[in-house]
Amino acid sequence: MSHFTNLKTSFKNLLHLENALNKLEISYKREKKITNLNNSKIYNINLVIPQSNNYDILFNWNGEEYELVIDASFWIQPYPVESFINKLSQHYANDVIITESQKIGFQPIKSKQHVDGSNTITLQRWNLNNSVAIV
């Protein structure tokens, strides 16, 4: 018996989510979803991770965030669901930090992954004749 689960996430930006999936080398495809609301069409993009057993993984846009829709009994990814979400969240956060900091003039100069799985990103911005580094 199939039992789909919707897991709330904090993934609100499609570009950052796609970048995180790419960093993890996870193949996905975009799926355009059309919703009719009060006689107007709303177009959303969902992400689908195909699985060989045809029980695909879906990131479904609910209007606020991308929900992870899975059938846990048919999960065939290389790591457990919790580990998948943790790894994806970490890459998503790194992408947000780097992208948003670049918008205000910072550039990443060093990134280090620690034994405990955490990351340190060093950013730098030149301001007149001084540089400011944020770790």
Side-chain angles (χ1 to χ4, degrees):
M1 180 176 173
S2 185
H3 182 266
F4 286 95
T5 303
N6 288 19
L7 302 173
K8 289 193 80 65
T9 69
S10 58
F11 305 131
K12 298 178 187 288
N13 182 290
L14 178 63
L15 177 64
H16 296 309
L17 180 55
E18 288 180 312
N19 287 344
L21 289 168
N22 289 332
K23 283 277 189 185
L24 291 171
E25 298 180 349
I26 296 173
S27 298
Y28 64 89
K29 58 185 177 183
R30 284 182 167 204
E31 174 186 85
K32 188 183 281 189
K33 179 180 171 186
I34 302 171
T35 307
N36 287 318
L37 185 65
N38 298 331
N39 293 328
S40 62
K41 291 182 179 179
I42 298 173
Y43 296 90
N44 293 318
I45 304 234
N46 295 331
L47 298 181
V48 179
I49 300 171
Q51 295 196 117
S52 59
N53 61 4
N54 294 323
Y55 288 92
D56 297 339
I57 299 165
L58 175 67
F59 283 98
N60 182 54
W61 179 252
N62 68 11
E64 294 181 19
E65 64 190 4
Y66 283 93
E67 290 179 320
L68 178 60
V69 181
I70 61 167
D71 186 335
S73 60
F74 293 101
W75 181 267
I76 58 170
Q77 295 302 302
Y79 22 78
V81 176
E82 298 79 18
S83 180
F84 170 78
I85 293 171
N86 289 339
K87 288 174 186 287
L88 190 62
S89 296
Q90 187 174 49
H91 286 291
Y92 182 93
N94 286 349
D95 196 66
V96 170
I97 290 166
I98 291 171
T99 302
E100 295 304 313
S101 64
Q102 286 177 327
K103 288 179 183 177
I104 57 172
F106 284 91
Q107 294 299 316
I109 58 171
K110 187 168 90 174
S111 181
K112 181 179 181 185
Q113 184 162 18
H114 303 281
V115 178
D116 67 357
S118 65
N119 285 337
T120 301
I121 302 170
T122 304
L123 304 165
Q124 176 176 287
R125 177 173 72 179
W126 292 94
N127 186 8
L128 300 174
N129 291 328
N130 301 319
S131 69
V132 177
I134 296 180
V135 179

